[in-house]
Amino acid sequence: KNQVEQSPQSLIILEGKNCTLQCNYTVSPFSNLRWYKQDTGRGPVSLTIMTFSENTKSNGRYTATLDADTKQSSLHITASQLSDSASYICVVSSLSGGYNKLIFGAGTRLAVHP
Amino acid sequence: GAGVSQSPSNKVTEKGKDVELRCDPISGHTALYWYRQRLGQGLEFLIYFQGNSAPDKSGLPSDRFSAERTGESVSTLTIQRTQQEDSAVYLCASSHRLAGGPHEQFFGPGTRLTVL
């Protein structure tokens, strides 16, 4: 069964600290992996998209890694800011039969405190 | 418009009524997705339109749910005989399909549906 599992479920850190969010997946065939940020009451916004051949991609203070062998990804946030408080969603894409089906993780809810 | 828009932003309805939600994708985007997000939970795939191909309806939870899209434009999601369990935020996303490559999805702000 195609699944995406994220950990931790929630996380509280102090402003300025770093953190790492985890994503494990069992999706086949694998097309790409995405990380989204979703602010409360808003739609998700894409942070990174990685294909099978990419093992790291950065977007400002966000760095995503992908290990396609172990089917694991992480999102590292450096020097956190209050505005980083949001849910972070890992999404794995499976391209099958011409359809790009996305399997969503439940998200990690991050709270950055001053 | 520059982004995906959805209407209404909020909808309160009585149990048993039908509702229709609208999504205007980004111009030129051939793919359109509908998702449901219950309070405090992750996104749940509902349906996917890709150009003129038959839609992927595998995520629709029951036959009370249906969606239409004409060409590569507006889509409507219809929920008939609404139940309280249908209360959620309904999100629409569109993307520009590139053959063989990943394509970023752009999400709308969602419609918050409350069934009393």
Side-chain angles (χ1 to χ4, degrees):
Chain A
K1 182 181 178 183
N2 287 334
Q3 285 186 313
V4 177
E5 295 183 353
Q6 293 188 241
S7 62
Q9 188 174 37
S10 62
L11 181 63
I12 299 173
I13 61 173
L14 294 177
E15 186 179 12
K17 297 297 185 182
N18 304 335
C19 68
T20 300
L21 314 180
Q22 300 292 341
C23 174
N24 296 337
Y25 62 93
T26 56
V27 175
S28 182
F30 174 88
S31 178
N32 57 74
L33 185 145
R34 310 146 184 251
W35 282 94
Y36 285 89
K37 178 186 178 186
Q38 186 176 23
D39 293 309
T40 301
R42 308 286 293 272
V45 174
S46 179
L47 295 175
T48 63
I49 302 175
M50 288 185 292
T51 60
F52 186 89
S53 59
E54 297 174 295
N55 52 28
T56 187
K57 184 167 276 190
S58 292
N59 178 0
R61 294 179 296 102
Y62 301 101
T63 299
T65 65
L66 172 64
D67 186 333
D69 291 331
T70 62
K71 298 187 177 182
Q72 296 179 325
S73 176
S74 66
L75 180 69
H76 187 74
I77 304 175
T78 304
S80 60
Q81 300 177 358
L82 298 179
S83 59
D84 292 332
S85 295
S87 286
Y88 291 84
I89 305 168
C90 176
V91 185
V92 180
S93 172
S94 182
L95 185 63
S96 177
Y99 290 120
N100 184 33
K101 178 163 280 186
L102 301 184
I103 298 98
F104 284 75
T108 292
R109 189 176 299 274
L110 174 67
V112 181
H113 290 182
Chain B
V4 178
S5 61
Q6 293 185 245
S7 61
S9 55
N10 281 283
K11 176 72 176 178
V12 179
T13 190
E14 293 180 347
K15 179 181 174 181
K17 299 286 188 183
D18 297 351
V19 295
E20 192 172 277
L21 313 180
R22 177 187 169 109
C23 172
D24 284 86
I26 293 174
S27 178
H29 280 192
T30 59
L32 186 147
Y33 305 76
W34 281 100
Y35 298 95
R36 177 171 69 179
Q37 187 172 33
R38 292 194 166 111
L39 185 64
Q41 297 188 22
L43 273 73
E44 178 185 3
F45 167 77
L46 297 178
I47 188 169
Y48 165 47
F49 295 91
Q50 175 60 57
N52 293 320
S53 302
D56 178 359
K57 304 180 181 179
S58 61
L60 295 179
S62 76
D63 58 7
R64 296 187 296 105
F65 288 72
S66 63
E68 292 184 352
R69 187 185 188 198
T70 304
E72 297 179 357
S73 60
V74 169
S75 175
T76 55
L77 176 69
T78 301
I79 308 173
Q80 296 177 309
R81 306 181 301 281
T82 53
Q83 304 294 314
Q84 289 182 331
E85 67 204 39
D86 299 334
S87 296
V89 175
Y90 289 83
L91 289 160
C92 173
S94 72
S95 67
H96 186 65
R97 185 184 183 192
L98 299 174
H103 33 282
E104 183 174 346
Q105 283 196 339
F106 295 85
F107 282 81
T111 293
R112 182 176 298 278
L113 174 65
T114 303
V115 182
L116 301 176

